[in-house]
């Protein structure tokens, strides 16, 4: 709840938390509708990154379907999608060899032709420019850290711009209590596992009757390679090695732009072995003889990591609550088999904008935009997610090989039979935190030492993410019980936070005698991936927003 103190406030028709594809598309659509109707609608977009796009991380092969609805002339407007997919491959990796899987065996929607390789961060920057031209007010460097409520319990707005609180809690000379931005409706577009969305889903029980949301962690590097190594328009995905059959995940590699290679690895966070390090699995993967030649002679120029929503159709929460809505990855619209979600983010932003514009025009405010929920349920977003709804549960239940085969069969059936599946709709049984096994049941994993050429350590990687936080501020990574890491997580699970975090935020330190362990949080390293909030087996870590402008600044990611 908000502190009981006086803050200045600003009033808008719609306040949007998050300057990614969903939030910006919603803002643009509101302004488009107002221009068509000859009216005015005031819209504010809040972005916690130092600039729009600073925190956006995606592969990314982008389906322009949503963008084409928002701007039919997106090419003429200069949207930064300049590399169409030319070559589409899917490979199964073994420890030394690989096997190409036939693309014709995959349903048509799994093919990437007609899509574009690019930077989702740069696309967001372009969308921000379009939004500002239409009169949207965008506030980068403003983290929405709290919510304010109307007397009837509906969401009234958010608190932004709280700065100047020291580590020990005292107010520094530059202290600002922040401002309240009030909206007739508030759109939550924070991306995966947003801190406000998490609270709203719990407060209004928006996941009632739904499967638990599932997640993956995506770790990505951007390389610039010699021209003779570059294959413009190549899209290649792999599954298999270095993960075992019971651990879901796979790689992506996209050649685009100025000799860029975007390469990364996704590990599904329902993995059981608490000794596993997704970061180190990725570094190991790059040494595979089918992968390493793409990178040799090149230079790694950027690094980042971000959680991905993977629950799909059966995990999408109720989208509306009194005073606001969830859009984009805050609700979890990623199509996992396609490894795409930005087109769905754009479309759901538009649908929410259309519902809000009509409601405001009818004199409504702070109620539930049930029209948005209805529009989603009848949209191509819901239809697309329904077709692939069983792919992720089958992987979890049957493993990569059998689950992948069963998932492919099911997707063909749902594609050809109008959404019908012989499996019905399978459920996700556990949260990813609950899936974590006990340390005693698994052997610790020993990873190869990075060579500094193809593979790297965490700290040199974080340096490339340009991550920065004001040092004298309370840690934004909070422990519900500070004793849990050492008294519970260490003996029971080996304290997996030090392994699943891709940025070296969490450490277990010992004295000179190798005794007296203590848990250390290096919050300044945090790249805002949210994995700790998701995977901590004790659910003891709570990710909150640091001061606005903190975190990574991703270029071309």
């Amino acid at each position: 709840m908000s502190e009981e103190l006086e803050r200045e406030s600003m009033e808008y028709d719609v306040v949007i938390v998050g300057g990614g594809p969903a939030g910006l598309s919603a803002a643009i659509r509101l302004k488009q509708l107002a221009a068509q109707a000859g009216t005015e609608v005031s819209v504010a977009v809040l972005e916690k990154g130092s600039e729009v796009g600073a925190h956006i991380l995606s592969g990314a092969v982008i389906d322009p379907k949503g963008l084409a609805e928002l701007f039919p002339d997106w090419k003429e407007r200069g949207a930064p999608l300049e590399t169409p997919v030319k070559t589409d491959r899917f490979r199964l990796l073994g420890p030394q060899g690989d096997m190409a899987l036939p693309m014709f065996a995959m349903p048509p929607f799994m093919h990437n032709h007609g899509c574009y390789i690019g930077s989702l961060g740069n696309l967001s920057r372009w969308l921000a420019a379009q939004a500002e031209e239409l009169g949207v007010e965008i506030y980068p460097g403003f983290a929405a850290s709290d919510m304010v409520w109307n007397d009837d319990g509906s969401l009234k707005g958010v608190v932004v711009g709280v700065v100047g609180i020291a580590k020990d809690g005292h107010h520094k000379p530059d202290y600002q209590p922040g401002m309240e931005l009030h909206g007739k409706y508030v759109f939550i577009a924070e991306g995966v596992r947003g801190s406000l969305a998490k609270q709203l889903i719990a407060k209004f029980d928006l996941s009632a009757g739904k499967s638990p949301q599932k997640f993956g962690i995506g770790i990505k590097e951007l390389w610039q390679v010699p021209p003779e190594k570059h294959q413009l328009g190549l899209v290649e995905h792999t599954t298999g090695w270095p993960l075992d059959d019971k651990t879901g995940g796979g790689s992506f590699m996209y050649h685009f732009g100025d000799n860029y290679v975007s390469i990364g690895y996704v590990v599904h966070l329902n993995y059981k072995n608490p000794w596993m390090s997704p970061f180190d699995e990725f570094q190991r993967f790059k040494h595979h003889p089918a992968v390493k030649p793409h990178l040799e002679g090149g230079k790694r120029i950027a690094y980042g990591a971000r959680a991905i929503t993977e629950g799909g159709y059966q995990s999408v929460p109720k989208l509306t609550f009194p005073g606001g809505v969830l859009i984009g990855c805050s609700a979890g619209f990623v199509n996992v088999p396609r490894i795409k979600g930005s087109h769905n983010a754009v479309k759901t932003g538009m649908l929410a904008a259309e519902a809000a514009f009509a409601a405001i025009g009818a004199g409504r405010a702070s109620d539930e935009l049930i029209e948005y929920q209805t529009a989603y349920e009848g949209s191509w977003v819901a239809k697309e997610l329904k077709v692939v709804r069983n792919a992720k549960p089958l992987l979890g239940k049957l493993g990569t090989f059998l689950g992948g085969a069963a998932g492919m069969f099911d997707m063909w059936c749902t594609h050809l039979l109008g959404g019908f599946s012989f499996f019905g709709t399978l459920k996700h049984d556990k949260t990813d935190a609950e899936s974590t096994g006990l340390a005693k049941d698994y052997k610790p994993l020993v990873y190869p030492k990075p060579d500094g050429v193809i593979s790297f350590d965490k700290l040199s990687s974080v340096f490339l993410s340009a991550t920065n936080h004001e040092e004298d501020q309370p840690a934004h990574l909070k422990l519900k019980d500070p004793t849990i890491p050492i008294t519970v997580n260490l003996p029971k699970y080996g304290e997996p936070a030090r392994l699943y975090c891709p940025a070296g935020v969490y450490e277990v330190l010992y004295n000179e005698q190798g005794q007296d362990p203590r848990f250390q949080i290096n919050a300044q390293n945090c790249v805002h991936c949210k994995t700790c909030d998701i995977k901590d087996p004790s659910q003891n870590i709570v990710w909150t927003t640091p001061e606005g402008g903190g975190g990574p600044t991703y270029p071309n990611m």
Side-chain angles (χ1 to χ4, degrees):
M1 299 295 288
S2 300
E3 295 175 60
E4 293 298 324
L5 48 79
E6 289 294 323
R7 294 189 180 95
E8 294 183 15
S9 65
M10 296 175 66
E11 304 292 330
Y12 291 89
D13 290 316
V14 179
V15 173
I16 300 173
V17 181
L24 291 167
S25 298
I28 288 166
R29 188 67 185 134
L30 283 161
K31 286 293 189 178
Q32 288 175 336
L33 292 168
Q36 292 168 13
T39 60
E40 290 290 334
V41 60
S42 58
V43 185
V45 175
L46 307 170
E47 169 54 48
K48 68 181 173 65
S50 57
E51 63 178 18
V52 169
H55 292 177
I56 299 291
L57 184 78
S58 182
V61 172
I62 297 168
D63 184 339
K65 184 176 183 179
L67 184 62
E69 290 191 15
L70 185 66
F71 288 119
D73 60 343
W74 62 268
K75 288 185 181 180
E76 291 76 11
R77 286 174 173 264
L81 296 180
E82 298 159 1
T83 305
V85 174
K86 293 180 181 178
T87 308
D88 202 5
R89 297 181 193 153
F90 197 100
R91 295 181 182 272
L92 178 64
L93 298 188
Q96 289 298 321
D98 68 288
M99 179 177 71
L101 300 179
M103 293 302 296
F104 68 80
M106 300 183 183
F109 57 79
M110 291 288 287
H111 296 213
N112 289 294
H113 292 288
C115 298
Y116 292 79
I117 307 169
S119 159
L120 194 61
N122 288 344
L123 182 62
S124 297
R125 292 176 176 98
W126 179 84
L127 285 169
Q130 308 304 306
E132 288 184 320
E133 283 183 16
L134 293 169
V136 175
E137 296 179 29
I138 300 177
Y139 298 101
F142 278 75
S145 55
D146 207 347
M147 294 175 281
V148 290
W149 306 91
N150 291 304
D151 291 340
D152 64 0
S154 60
L155 184 60
K156 183 177 185 178
V158 294
V159 177
V160 299
V162 180
V163 297
I165 300 177
K167 274 185 179 179
D168 62 6
H170 84 267
H171 292 175
K172 296 185 288 186
D174 63 342
Y175 170 72
Q176 295 289 337
M179 292 186 64
E180 293 183 6
L181 268 61
H182 301 162
K184 292 172 182 172
Y185 296 101
V186 179
F187 289 9
I188 303 298
E190 298 171 298
V192 181
R193 194 70 165 196
S195 52
L196 300 188
K198 181 183 172 184
Q199 295 174 58
L200 288 162
I201 290 169
K203 178 180 176 67
F204 293 107
D205 200 17
L206 301 181
S207 288
K210 304 288 185 176
S211 283
Q213 187 58 269
K214 306 294 284 184
F215 300 90
I217 177 173
I219 303 170
K220 174 184 173 179
E221 294 174 350
L222 185 66
W223 287 65
Q224 201 157 32
V225 300
E228 63 272 16
K229 293 272 188 177
H230 199 242
Q231 302 175 51
L232 189 68
L234 170 65
V235 165
E236 183 171 294
H237 296 102
T238 75
T239 190
W241 188 90
L243 302 179
D244 62 34
D245 188 61
K246 295 300 182 184
T247 305
S251 77
F252 59 87
M253 180 171 58
Y254 311 141
H255 288 236
F256 73 108
D258 183 17
N259 295 327
Y260 290 135
V261 173
S262 171
I263 188 165
Y265 211 85
V266 176
V267 175
H268 301 174
L269 287 176
N270 62 354
Y271 67 82
K272 295 180 173 60
N273 187 347
W275 300 108
M276 195 179 80
S277 164
F279 174 89
D280 291 296
E281 297 291 347
F282 173 39
Q283 299 305 317
R284 187 159 64 135
F285 153 81
K286 288 184 291 175
H287 283 277
H288 191 280
V291 178
K292 186 177 179 180
H294 287 272
L295 305 176
E296 286 179 315
K299 182 181 180 182
R300 188 177 72 146
I301 57 177
Y303 167 85
R306 190 71 173 93
I308 305 163
T309 49
E310 294 187 343
Y313 183 77
Q314 51 272 66
S315 297
V316 173
K318 183 183 174 187
L319 302 176
T320 67
F321 50 88
V325 299
L326 303 174
I327 60 176
C329 282
S330 285
F333 295 121
V334 170
N335 183 320
V336 173
R338 292 191 72 201
I339 324 176
K340 291 176 182 61
S342 61
H343 62 302
N344 291 338
V346 169
K347 181 62 174 177
T348 55
M350 293 173 66
L351 293 175
E354 288 158 5
F357 183 78
I360 291 167
R364 291 164 51 191
S366 299
D367 58 359
E368 284 208 43
L369 288 171
I370 56 172
E371 298 85 357
Y372 165 49
Q373 181 78 42
T374 303
Y376 157 71
E377 291 169 358
S379 72
W380 50 257
V381 177
K383 182 179 179 182
E384 178 180 312
L385 294 180
K386 190 173 183 181
V387 167
V388 302
R389 65 191 181 276
N390 291 326
K392 168 76 175 178
L394 286 167
L395 285 173
K397 295 176 192 300
L398 301 177
T400 298
F401 186 75
L402 287 177
M408 200 63 66
F409 168 78
D410 185 66
M411 287 190 290
W412 267 114
C413 290
T414 54
H415 170 64
L416 296 172
L417 301 176
F420 170 80
S421 169
F422 292 103
F423 296 108
T425 299
L426 299 175
K427 303 296 185 185
H428 304 298
D429 299 326
K430 297 178 180 179
T431 67
D432 293 326
E434 292 167 338
S435 299
T436 310
L438 299 177
K440 67 181 179 62
D441 295 333
Y442 297 87
K443 291 182 179 179
L445 297 171
V446 179
Y447 290 100
K449 185 177 180 181
D451 64 4
V453 179
I454 297 295
S455 50
F456 304 90
D457 61 28
K458 286 183 180 179
L459 292 185
S460 66
S461 300
V462 173
F463 177 78
L464 285 182
S465 70
T467 294
N468 184 56
H469 294 91
E470 164 60 45
E471 288 193 17
D472 190 14
Q473 65 173 309
H476 65 282
L477 303 159
K478 303 186 185 303
L479 302 179
K480 296 177 185 176
D481 181 345
T483 69
I484 291 290
I486 299 303
T487 62
V488 177
N489 283 0
L490 186 58
K492 197 170 180 181
Y493 306 104
E495 187 40 271
R498 61 197 174 86
L499 296 169
Y500 60 61
C501 174
V505 169
Y506 302 101
E507 294 182 281
V508 176
L509 303 177
Y510 297 85
N511 63 18
E512 293 180 358
Q513 289 73 42
Q515 299 172 334
D516 192 23
R518 63 184 179 88
F519 191 61
Q520 179 165 300
I521 301 177
N522 306 307
Q524 69 276 12
N525 287 3
C526 179
V527 295
H528 297 202
C529 75
K530 315 292 180 66
T531 304
C532 55
D533 196 291
I534 297 162
K535 186 61 175 170
D536 177 35
S538 298
Q539 285 295 276
N540 187 51
I541 300 173
V542 180
W543 196 98
T544 63
T545 53
E547 284 189 7
T553 302
Y554 292 136
N556 300 317
M557 289 287 266

